[in-house]
Amino acid sequence: MDQACETLGRQINIMEVCGTHTVSIFRNGIRPTLPRSLKLLSGPGCPVCVTDQGYIDIMLEIADRDDCIIATYGDMIRVPGKDGSLEKRAKSNVKLVLSSEDAIKLAEENPDKTVVFVAVGFETTTPATAVAIKDAAEKNLDNFCILSGHKLVIPAMDALLSEKNHKIDAFLCPGHVSVIIGTDAYKPIVETYKRPCVVAGFEPMQVIEGIAEICRQLTNDAPEVISMYPAAVTATGNTTAWQIINTFFQPYDGYWRGLGKIPGGTLRLKEEYAKFDAMKRFGFNEIPAEDLTGCRCGEVLCGLIDPADCGMFETKCTPDSPVGPCMVSSEGACSAWYKYGRRRKRRT
Amino acid sequence: MTDSKKENKILLAHGGGGRLTSHLIEKTILPAFSNDTLDKLTDAASLDLTSASVCMTTDSYVVKPLFFNGGDIGKLAVCGTVNDLAVAGATPVALSLSLIIEEGFDIDTLEKILASAGATAKQAGIDIVTGDTKVVEKGAADGLFINTAGLGTRHENADIDFDRVTKTDKIIINGTLGDHGMTIISQREGIKFDSPLQSDCAVLSGLIADVLNSGANVKFMRDPTRGGVAAVLNEIAAASGFTIELDEPSLPIDETVRAAADMLGFDLLDIANEGKVVFVVDEKDAGKVVDICKNHELGKKAAIIGEVLDKEESPVVELKTKIGGRRIVQMPYGRDLPRIC
């Protein structure tokens, strides 16, 4: 790592695009162990944090209906829309689930209510949602539907790199997602943008090994896709999982919180499964654009500015009342900056 | 149950002050707690204390599920309040126990819970001397809520104050982190493990008395319940002005609890305990306190987990991680939610 910093003679920005990496880096205190000129940027890797305001607003509107039960992953309830969050609404029809299977069970147990599953997550959780739809179709479960906010990782990486002036030197790629999408999925990123893509595990030493491999590639100016993750990651990924995603979902240009529309970055149900689509069932045409005027998360994510350079930082946007994804995520760049930024530098 | 007059469900009339109330008190409540003071059924318990230095505390218990592996709401309602007295340096003397019961609640279940509370109080050597019962309409409460208040006399060796915390003091805990919280969360979420998680719910007054009786210089104590060790240490740092450093490899953690926390994305420093106490002890006495804990059944895995560093303008709690990194341990938000990523 030191050699890479010396060879390049400037700051190196490595972006992780997985919430689990972000948490591992944070919990294990990895940042302070790295050379000063090596900066880790927490990318849009937490599916909850990148869920846009418009999606949340529709979810809140559905939650206001007495004939519905909202089945959601726990950490979604704090993500704010224009006017509050599920947590702040404190509605009794909001049930926390750990899987889409639990949501199906809720639908079976409550035949007089419509269960709306808050379907968010990357390629790791989407297959489970697809299986739930398959299950519901086979069981003729008419009181189950999903509000899809599923996202795809590669289009987001592409969008960040196509941003003029971005300062991302390499990606630390997520182990779990890569098991599904395979290492070949990153090839276009490496070929088009000449940026290393290294798949790493989540144990602290695996993260550090991944960073070291990125530094090696940067030093040698030889970007490539490499998996440092155990054998589970293959070149083509899990084709069964992909097939089931493709059977039920299709990509479209959806909003990502703070980042705007990302071409092909969001998944929605195909027309033939419209009856399981909460948008259609409740008469919503499309997810409205969000209004995060003043939020500069896009630039924070690209390594262009520090959180404190954003005009909303600490004023309109705080961890208890977050606006952009970097503050919504408790380990996000802005949230971390808010909590630790004012702390005196440690005497060394 | 064999008494033909006895309903097997709680009715609103059980809280109405009439015959059903008397019946409930005589047949269900008194048998669980019977002692000379309570049995008189006076409006207020009359106590003769051995000291004029008195500590008092109260807490309400609304845990779901009511029964969990390692305890139940009754045991918890006694342990929690007794522990609050003990960590304040008090020797517990008496408890009050009040019930808020939802109409329709099962009386057999109530008996089990009260028997558990009674047994726990007995084990702690403390009497439940007064109480109250209210029944609310169906839907106005979730089954059963319990409030307990506790009275204690200050231990002669106890001088527990944030102001006494100073540089080089050691941070000690009497055992593994997060057992109670992860048990409740796992049971609530319906997650099963090969070796089931068990709450650490226990009365700490005996262990704390052993430590105080030894004359060890204990500066501060607190039970890391809601908010876990992270909340307690942040409170100590903020109130004392000293930064606290924790050593990750020294944190006692049960492997099954760790697996459950990893799976759900929780940090065990944030998770509730019900049978743990965090001590801040003068460094000279730290080894002695750990030894005393280890000699007690509730302290077998006691360890020094950190130390008090410099006084700072913005003191923090910092964790030295197992890979030699550092991170700040924040005051938890207040509600633990499983993470999707």
Side-chain angles (χ1 to χ4, degrees), chain B residues 138-219:
Chain B
K138 198 152 185 61
D142 192 359
L144 174 69
F145 299 152
I146 300 180
N147 171 276
T148 51
L151 198 65
T153 50
R154 193 148 65 238
H155 191 288
E156 56 180 4
N157 293 347
D159 187 3
I160 306 302
D161 197 323
F162 287 120
D163 292 344
R164 295 194 61 228
V165 174
T166 190
K167 192 174 173 175
T168 72
D169 285 348
K170 297 291 183 194
I171 312 293
I172 294 168
I173 191 161
N174 62 315
T176 50
L177 270 64
D179 300 358
H180 175 76
M182 287 317 303
T183 302
I184 297 291
I185 293 162
S186 300
Q187 241 169 287
R188 217 183 270 158
E189 306 287 355
I191 302 166
K192 293 193 173 60
F193 294 91
D194 289 343
S195 53
L197 305 186
Q198 181 157 335
S199 166
D200 56 345
C201 183
V203 170
L204 291 166
S205 47
L207 176 130
I208 290 172
D210 288 355
V211 171
L212 292 179
N213 289 340
S214 77
N217 188 359
V218 177
K219 312 280 192 78

Side-chain angles (χ1 to χ4, degrees), chain B residues 22 25-26 30 36-44 129:
Chain B
S22 303
I25 291 171
E26 279 164 28
L30 285 186
D36 291 346
T37 314
L38 180 68
D39 292 349
K40 288 179 187 154
L41 293 178
T42 45
D43 283 340
V129 295

